[in-house]
């Protein structure tokens, strides 16, 4: 099992716009930081009265020399301003393993992407991966004005190198006004048949893009969203604390769990009041997680047999639930036997 907390050394801090920087890391333990396009890191950042944990999407693609996150200042925000103002090459930051489900499936060859502001970060990772691996992608990218466009040059280079496969349509509020569903739908109409649509940005933009897709008849099952929010809990503190009690294998009423994770298949007793995540980590299984509060989907896995109950879920949608996805950090057993897989 890899260490749940990795220490990352900052190798570069690159200004992207007046209020956004990219931070490039190398892992201090020398092990490669493997991730999927569109995944995020959870970083531990100093705060005036201790620490906060914040998620930042990787803008680098898997296989790039070094993992990179891109952070935009939020007025009054603790972590984003600390990163933009204080982080320097040579500094170290603690991180949880890359996680998240904002990743198109391998067989989804043609993508329609909607991003606004710092929502470009995971989308850039996906575009970089697409450029390398094949498939097409069209991005509708909204920003306040030209100066606030993160990755303007990088996107231009990608479209110039792959004019037949990658296309970017810029939406500038100073020119076009606020994005609305009707005009977004009209813009995206030629690509409405894409295999998957991915949305990332501030809540009003996500709502407008989601409504545009509804107008275009895109099934919800083909839409992936990534919502940005600050974590309330501190998963680093939870890890540093004693950790969950090792569940007693013979506890009365324990269900049986079969889990497939990292190419391994294990069967374990699953005590009724223990969450799936706590159980797996107590048994040295490297199950991913971030917020532990049912809000980020980093811990999502699929139930393929049996039934579980989620104590809290603010992130999985009806379509995810219909496909059997559950949040391991919130799942407790309902049936005597449960089988779950990590994709
Ligand atoms: C999966 C995921 C991926 C993400 N990826 C990225 C990314 O790639 N790039 C990126 O820039 N961001 C990303 N985010 C968002 C990021 O995690 C932070 O939420 C963001 O940087 C703001 O954090 P902060 O600490 O700077 O602000 P916070 O301190 O959390 O404050 C946020 C806002 O709330 C206000 N506020 C805070 N506390 C109070 C209070 N007590 N009362 C009233 N107002 C208050 C602040 O003034 C500020 O306006 C992502 C989030 C998630 C969940
Ligand atoms: S760890 Fe975030 S939802 Fe479970």
């Amino acid at each position: 099992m890899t260490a749940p907390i990795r220490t990352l050394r900052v190798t570069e801090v690159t200004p992207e716009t007046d209020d956004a920087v990219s931070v490039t890391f190398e892992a201090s333990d020398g092990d490669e930081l493997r991730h999927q396009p569109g995944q995020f890191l959870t970083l531990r950042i100093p705060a005036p009265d201790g620490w906060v944990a914040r998620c930042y999407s990787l803008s680098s693609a898997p296989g790039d020399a070094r993992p990179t996150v891109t952070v935009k200042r939020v007025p009054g925000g603790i972590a984003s301003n600390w990163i933009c103002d204080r982080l320097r090459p040579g500094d170290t930051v603690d991180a949880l393993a890359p996680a998240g489900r904002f990743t198109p499936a391998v067989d989804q060859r043609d993508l329609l992407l909607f991003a606004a502001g710092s929502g470009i970060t995971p989308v850039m990772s996906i575009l970089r991966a697409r450029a390398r691996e094949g498939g097409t992608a069209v991005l509708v990218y909204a920003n306040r004005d030209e100066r606030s466009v993160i990755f303007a040059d990088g996107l231009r280079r990608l479209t110039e190198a792959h004019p037949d496969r990658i296309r970017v349509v810029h939406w500038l509020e100073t020119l076009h006004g606020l994005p609305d569903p009707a005009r977004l739908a009209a813009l995206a109409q030629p690509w409405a048949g894409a295999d998957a649509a991915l949305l990332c940005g501030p809540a009003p933009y996500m709502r407008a893009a989601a409504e545009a897709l509804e107008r275009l008849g895109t099934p919800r099952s083909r839409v992936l969203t990534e919502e940005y929010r600050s974590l309330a809990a501190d998963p680093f503190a939870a890890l540093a604390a004693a950790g969950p009690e090792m569940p007693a294998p013979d506890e009365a009423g324990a269900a049986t769990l079969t889990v497939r994770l990292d190419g391994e298949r294990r069967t374990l007793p699953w005590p009724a009041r223990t969450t799936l995540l706590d159980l797996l980590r107590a048994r040295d299984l490297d199950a991913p997680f971030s917020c532990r509060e049912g809000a980020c989907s980093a811990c999502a896995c699929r139930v393929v047999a049996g039934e579980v109950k989620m104590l809290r879920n603010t992130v999985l949608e009806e379509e995810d639930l219909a496909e059997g996805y559950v949040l391991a950090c919130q799942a407790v057993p309902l049936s005597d036997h449960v089988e779950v897989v990590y994709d």
Side-chain angles (χ1 to χ4, degrees):
M1 174 165 157
T2 51
I5 301 177
R6 306 277 298 270
T7 300
L8 306 180
R9 188 178 312 285
V10 176
T11 59
E12 244 175 287
V13 178
T14 312
E16 297 288 354
T17 63
D18 290 347
D19 56 7
V21 298
S22 285
V23 182
T24 301
F25 298 107
E26 67 182 359
S28 298
D29 55 16
D31 273 359
E32 195 190 335
L33 198 78
R34 294 221 181 92
H35 68 93
Q36 303 290 317
Q39 286 195 310
F40 63 86
L41 291 174
T42 306
L43 303 181
R44 188 168 195 241
I45 302 295
D49 50 0
W51 298 87
V52 292
R54 295 286 184 264
C55 306
Y56 289 104
S57 305
L58 288 143
S59 49
S60 48
D64 280 354
R66 295 218 165 112
T68 299
V69 297
T70 302
V71 179
K72 183 171 177 174
R73 279 181 204 278
V74 170
I78 296 171
S80 56
N81 289 290
W82 187 88
I83 291 170
C84 289
D85 293 334
R86 306 283 290 276
L87 209 53
R88 296 281 175 268
D91 292 347
T92 57
V93 181
D94 282 349
L96 300 183
R101 295 187 53 244
F102 192 65
T103 296
V106 182
D107 59 353
Q108 294 179 319
R109 301 285 296 165
D110 302 321
L111 305 180
L112 174 56
L113 307 162
F114 287 92
S118 59
I120 188 62
T121 305
V123 167
M124 193 65 185
S125 171
I126 292 165
L127 283 173
R128 285 175 164 147
R130 283 284 134 152
R132 231 176 263 162
E133 293 160 6
T136 71
V138 176
L139 164 64
V140 179
Y141 182 21
N143 281 285
R144 196 176 50 244
D145 53 28
E146 214 167 328
R147 283 174 65 86
S148 52
V149 180
I150 301 173
F151 300 132
D153 289 343
L155 288 169
R156 197 174 309 118
R157 281 196 297 274
L158 279 179
T159 53
E160 281 170 6
H162 307 280
D164 50 335
R165 295 201 294 113
I166 296 182
R167 180 163 180 171
V168 179
V169 181
H170 285 282
W171 180 296
L172 299 179
E173 285 170 18
T174 44
L175 289 180
H176 307 107
L178 285 175
D180 59 83
R183 287 190 296 159
L184 285 178
L187 247 187
Q189 207 279 329
W191 304 286
D195 298 324
L198 289 93
L199 281 51
C200 188
Y205 180 72
M206 302 261 281
R207 278 196 298 273
E211 201 182 317
L213 289 170
E214 243 178 79
R215 289 177 185 221
L216 292 171
T218 307
R220 279 289 305 137
S221 55
R222 276 198 257 146
V223 181
L224 272 183
T225 57
E226 184 77 299
E227 192 187 332
Y228 281 5
R229 64 167 85 186
S230 294
L231 300 187
D234 181 353
F236 295 91
L239 279 170
E245 253 186 77
M246 178 70 87
D250 59 352
E251 185 180 318
T256 309
L257 168 74
T258 301
V259 56
R260 279 183 273 152
L261 170 66
D262 290 340
E264 203 185 333
R265 190 169 189 275
R266 293 260 299 266
T267 298
L268 313 164
W270 184 359
R273 288 186 303 279
T274 304
T275 68
L276 176 57
L277 181 68
D278 284 348
L279 174 72
L280 296 179
R281 297 205 68 91
R283 294 306 182 107
D284 275 356
L285 282 156
D286 201 3
F289 68 95
S290 174
C291 69
R292 284 179 178 260
E293 59 196 46
C296 76
S297 85
C299 63
C301 60
R302 218 154 34 84
V303 174
V304 293
E307 227 184 313
V308 304
K309 177 172 94 175
M310 275 194 282
L311 305 173
R312 188 163 186 262
N313 168 33
T314 58
V315 65
L316 293 182
E317 306 203 18
E318 285 301 322
E319 290 73 13
D320 301 311
L321 302 176
E323 287 173 33
Y325 282 100
V326 296
L327 302 172
C329 72
Q330 301 296 321
V332 292
L334 277 188
S335 56
D336 291 343
H337 178 72
V338 180
E339 182 165 351
V340 300
V341 292
Y342 282 81
D343 294 330

